[in-house]
Amino acid sequence: MPRPASSVELFLPPGMRATRATRALVALLRSQAASRLSAAEVEAALARLGVAVNRVTVFRALDRLTQAGLLQRRVEDDRITRFQWRSDAGRAQASAAPAPVAQRMPVQFHCLRCAQDLPVDSAAPAVQASVQALGAALEQTAVGQLQTVQLHGLCTPCSVA
């Protein structure tokens, strides 16, 4: 008799094995959904939890989860790639049909002075049209599928200071 899938396994992309390390990695990222973690930080956190995992395994799992739309990948100003569990991960994965570009791709604004990340309202018609056009154009090139669009500049308080 097959065993029932755990809540963590329900988030795994098709074909990704539910190993102890993978389950621990997904549980860790889901429990720290508000945090952006580097691969090294994920590896260290798993070690603290008693889950010995190979660095290559961590990188591969993070890549697979990002490709499945469960994680958001971002190269930060310090040039370290960090991963964050997407708040809409369950909804995005449950949908069998591909979501429109603007819905599957959050748009963020990063202030270069105060380092604050601000969401951009993707519901605004001009923003939504621009994101859809950019996503469609890039999907036809070797770039593939966008996960996030991030704008850099100065937020309103920093620009008037």
Side-chain angles (χ1 to χ4, degrees):
M1 182 170 187
R3 67 181 176 88
S6 71
S7 64
V8 168
E9 291 174 272
L10 294 176
F11 283 100
L12 295 179
M16 190 169 187
R17 291 184 20 221
T19 64
R20 179 174 183 244
T22 302
R23 289 191 315 269
L25 187 140
V26 169
L28 171 72
L29 291 168
R30 285 182 62 205
S31 71
Q32 297 187 20
S35 302
R36 290 189 296 262
L37 303 172
S38 69
E41 291 167 334
V42 169
E43 183 182 2
L46 290 173
R48 284 191 301 274
L49 294 171
V51 180
V53 61
N54 181 308
R55 178 172 290 154
V56 174
T57 301
V58 170
F59 279 107
R60 286 181 181 158
L62 291 171
D63 282 342
R64 293 276 315 270
L65 294 169
T66 301
Q67 289 172 359
L70 299 174
L71 298 180
Q72 181 179 355
R73 177 194 328 241
R74 180 170 140 192
V75 179
E76 301 211 341
D77 294 338
D78 57 5
R79 298 182 188 217
I80 294 176
T81 302
R82 297 189 189 279
F83 300 85
Q84 183 174 19
W85 189 261
R86 290 184 56 164
S87 59
D88 63 345
R91 289 188 307 274
Q93 194 178 32
S95 170
V101 172
Q103 288 181 0
R104 72 167 179 256
M105 190 173 28
V107 180
Q108 294 180 338
F109 178 83
H110 178 77
C111 180
L112 296 171
R113 185 170 293 155
C114 68
Q116 186 177 28
D117 290 321
L118 304 166
V120 175
D121 184 10
S122 295
V127 172
Q128 188 176 25
S130 297
V131 169
Q132 285 178 336
L134 176 64
L138 287 173
E139 285 178 4
Q140 294 175 4
T141 68
V143 172
Q145 192 177 75
L146 291 178
Q147 297 294 321
T148 302
V149 171
Q150 186 176 47
L151 307 170
H152 294 261
L154 297 177
C155 65
T156 304
C158 289
S159 64
V160 297

